[in-house]
Amino acid sequence: MIPPTSSLVKYDNPVLVSRNTDKKTPRAKSLKVTHQPVPGSGGPVPAAPPKGGAKLPPVDTQKAEQTDEILNSILPPKEWTEHGQLWVQQVSSTPATRQDVINLQEQLDTRLQQRQAKETGICPVRRELYSQVFDEVIRQVTINCAERGLLLLRVRDEINMTLAAYQTLYESSVAFGMRKALQAEQGKYDMENNIEELEADKRDLERQVNELKAKCDAIEKRETERRAVEEKRHAEEIQFLKKTSQQLKIQLEGIIAPKK
């Protein structure tokens, strides 16, 4: 396992905790061991324990230990193994100066450019860097005032919860949109099939209408011709009957006239 990547949060020099991680107990993991700093790191070496009876630690020492505990609870130490050795790197408890804050801002701008973070919109890289800066600000504030640092921790946790809620909402909305898109695509496919069926029915009905119109025209034509023939035949019969009636009338008059 490789050492953790550099962070904008200020950490102390790495400290060797154990050379054999398999035999180290869980209690040993929680100990802050500072007697074996990284070679060449220039880390602090603790003073030898005082001789004689045990004495109460001074108030400043108690306050420093309490601050370290709070810092470790806010920003847990980093642990990694290298060549079978377990290293621990705790967050720094050194107060920050004005120059440190200026350097932090410059480092933030440099990291944003190096990692090509987006200036607007959703960008995991920008969010990660700003989260590191916020943690560093919490560290600096906690050293001067632990209560203020704990309050900033609550603010940080609330922001993270809000961002997680928005992320969950965003993922849910994306999934919902995808389902709706798939449903719309399926509905579009069904609608297209329905349209094709209706168009086929329409063509079939139009064909039937054309056939019926052709039949109607043929029947009308045939009936017109038959009516014309019937009218002609009736006219001829009427003319024949008129002519016959005229002849009979003449014959009747010829029979009746001599008797006078």
Side-chain angles (χ1 to χ4, degrees):
M1 183 176 179
I2 60 175
T5 57
S6 60
S7 173
L8 294 177
V9 182
K10 187 175 181 180
Y11 282 85
D12 289 332
N13 293 324
V15 175
L16 179 61
V17 175
S18 174
R19 297 183 182 275
N20 188 357
T21 58
D22 295 336
K23 297 181 180 180
K24 190 170 69 68
T25 61
R27 183 178 179 182
K29 294 182 180 180
S30 61
L31 294 178
K32 180 181 178 182
V33 181
T34 57
H35 61 281
Q36 293 183 0
V38 176
S41 62
V45 178
K51 298 181 180 180
K55 297 182 180 180
L56 294 176
V59 178
D60 294 339
T61 305
Q62 293 180 354
K63 184 177 180 181
E65 291 178 354
Q66 184 180 5
T67 302
D68 291 341
E69 292 178 358
I70 295 175
L71 286 175
N72 290 333
S73 64
I74 296 176
L75 300 170
K78 296 180 180 180
E79 296 184 4
W80 73 93
T81 56
E82 184 178 4
H83 304 298
Q85 297 176 345
L86 177 62
W87 295 86
V88 175
Q89 188 177 21
Q90 293 184 339
V91 67
S92 176
S93 59
T94 305
T97 61
R98 182 175 180 271
Q99 187 61 36
D100 292 336
V101 178
I102 296 175
N103 294 336
L104 177 63
Q105 183 177 358
E106 294 177 353
Q107 291 178 5
L108 174 62
D109 296 336
T110 303
R111 296 283 182 87
L112 290 173
Q113 294 179 358
Q114 290 177 352
R115 301 183 62 178
Q116 299 179 354
K118 298 180 181 178
E119 295 182 358
T120 58
I122 300 175
C123 180
V125 175
R126 189 178 75 246
R127 178 184 175 187
E128 177 186 356
L129 293 177
Y130 274 96
S131 297
Q132 294 178 6
V133 171
F134 197 13
D135 291 340
E136 172 62 16
V137 172
I138 293 176
R139 184 196 71 82
Q140 297 176 5
V141 173
T142 304
I143 295 173
N144 297 328
C145 180
E147 290 76 10
R148 193 179 301 150
L150 293 175
L151 182 59
L152 284 178
L153 176 63
R154 292 181 59 184
V155 174
R156 184 196 69 177
D157 293 341
E158 178 62 26
I159 292 175
N160 291 335
M161 289 175 59
T162 304
L163 290 176
Y166 279 127
Q167 183 175 2
T168 302
L169 181 61
Y170 172 75
E171 293 175 354
S172 300
S173 62
V174 169
F176 178 77
M178 290 296 296
R179 289 196 301 270
K180 286 298 181 181
L182 293 176
Q183 292 177 0
E185 189 68 23
Q186 183 64 30
K188 179 181 178 182
Y189 178 75
D190 296 338
M191 187 64 67
E192 289 177 351
N193 292 336
N194 191 17
I195 291 174
E196 291 179 357
E197 293 178 357
L198 292 176
E199 288 180 350
D201 295 340
K202 177 186 175 183
R203 290 191 294 269
D204 186 42
L205 293 175
E206 288 178 350
R207 180 181 57 79
Q208 294 180 9
V209 168
N210 293 331
E211 291 178 356
L212 293 176
K213 282 184 178 180
K215 289 181 180 180
C216 290
D217 293 340
I219 293 173
E220 185 177 358
K221 182 178 181 181
R222 186 168 59 251
E223 289 297 323
T224 302
E225 292 176 354
R226 186 182 64 79
R227 189 182 302 110
V229 173
E230 290 291 334
E231 289 178 355
K232 182 179 181 181
R233 185 171 60 81
H234 290 165
E236 291 176 353
E237 289 180 354
I238 291 172
Q239 189 66 27
F240 176 74
L241 291 175
K242 285 182 178 180
K243 185 177 181 181
T244 303
S245 175
Q246 187 65 27
Q247 291 176 356
L248 292 174
K249 182 178 180 182
I250 294 172
Q251 290 178 2
L252 182 60
E253 290 177 352
I255 296 173
I256 296 175
K259 291 183 179 180
K260 294 180 178 180

